[in-house]
Amino acid sequence: MADIASKKRKRASKTPELLRGFRDVIQEEAPYWQHVQASATDLLLDYSYSEIQLPILEATSLFKRTIGEHTDIVSKEMFTFEDQGGDSITLRPELTAGMVRAYIEHGMFNRPQPVKMYSIGPAFRYERPQAGRYRQFNQLSVELFGDAQPVADAEVIFISYLLCKQLGLDVTIHINSLGSSESREDYVQLLKEYIKPKRSLLCEDCKKRITKNPLRLLDCKEEACRALFIQAPLLVDNLDDESKKHFVAVLEHLDESEVPYELDPYIVRGLDYYNRTAFEIVASVTNDAVEGEEATVTNLIVGGGGRYDGLVEILGGRNTPAIGMAFGLERLVSAFKKTKSGISSEKKPQVFLAQLGEEAAKHAFTLFETLRSNNIRVRANFGKTGLKPQLELADKLGVVYTVILGQKELLDQTVIIRDMENGIQEVVDLTKIVDEIKKRLKKGR
Ligand code: ATP
Ligand code: MG
């Protein structure tokens, strides 16, 4: 008895840990996230995409109706629960459904079309955690509503490509056409007939897919299944005329704008709602060499998207063509880190503010703010007292100058500027500190 009680106590006192498949982005990694997000939003704003912020929790029915009951996401990956009022709610597994809901709910079809939006934030899927796959991950979703023309598909793909290029990634767009939902039905029959005699050779998931979601057979990750589909009839060979024309026009746009792409007839995408264009953005990343071995190059799918012309109507809106894509930000950041392009040194601190004595410490906030609000990148440690530890810190930060505010200087209304390279110190008027620092920084020292 005593043993059980002590075990329980031990468990209760253990420091709580992260849930499996969840992660923290700590200080060392956060600048990479900031860089990727800033670089993406600058580009999107330049191309007239506006930000929209959406809730993380939505009604479960939103995802069931849009993503589809028989997809992996809805059938086994959603974090769904009842709230205190007894309603079924779900942590969003992706952002597009919410964007479509918002488009309808805010009557955005009354605005000039196309409506171009992006949204950034977490998504949740109860998947088996592994490299590059988390249970909470972040997406950047980019959507264009109200334009059925191939140029809209090409625009979204072009911008996705630019975004990767801007981050120094080496990417190729893998692209396919899923045709119209009608032409797909005929194709699905062909596919079923092809695979039925081989049924016993398929993995358990694929056996279920034959009846529940046959198109998904094509993107099974099992080698044995993949081998079986090499000879299978292809969707692209069975497109209706309009979809074929559309696809060719999209590819022509990509050719013109020099977007590198590969035709990939096996892309079907995980969600039910796509029609016509479907694509994935594949980054080729160089992994660091481990001891005794050469660096390896792997392909990482950083994002994907497609056209979803029926989706707005499925949710009760007007018939509105749309195309969108989503980046997985964990993968984008990880690929960006591996480019070793680093983060702009612009943000490196220029000045350290050291203070000596009680009175100076009290004035330090004000002086710090004077420097900061005049666009000088200043750092300080307000809790440190001695000069030596503060100079050491300044050294570590690599600042060009340290501004020293001491008891005597405060009385004289002066400060000392110390050149961190040669240790030369000069006394200047407190009121002139901003000009004095700027003058020196401009001179290159
Ligand atoms: P996959 O084939 O890798 O499972 P998916 O088709 O499920 O991808 P989408 O729903 O299209 O992925 O999501 C868009 C992007 O979000 C993916 O390309 C990927 O970069 C990222 N992503 C999807 N699921 C996860 C996850 N569990 N963890 C991290 N990133 C993810
Ligand atoms: Mg998936």
Side-chain angles (χ1 to χ4, degrees), residues 72-73 77 125 127 133 137 216 221 270-271 331:
D72 284 353
I73 294 180
E77 294 174 359
R125 296 183 194 175
E127 299 196 71
R133 203 170 283 285
F137 59 101
R216 284 290 272 175
K221 309 280 187 289
L271 322 170
R331 297 191 197 173

Side-chain angles (χ1 to χ4, degrees), residues 22 56 77 79 91-93 122-126 135-137:
F22 288 71
I56 289 165
E77 294 174 359
F79 284 86
L91 285 167
R92 62 182 182 195
F124 302 82
R125 296 183 194 175
Y126 196 81
R135 288 183 175 165
Q136 174 175 339
F137 59 101

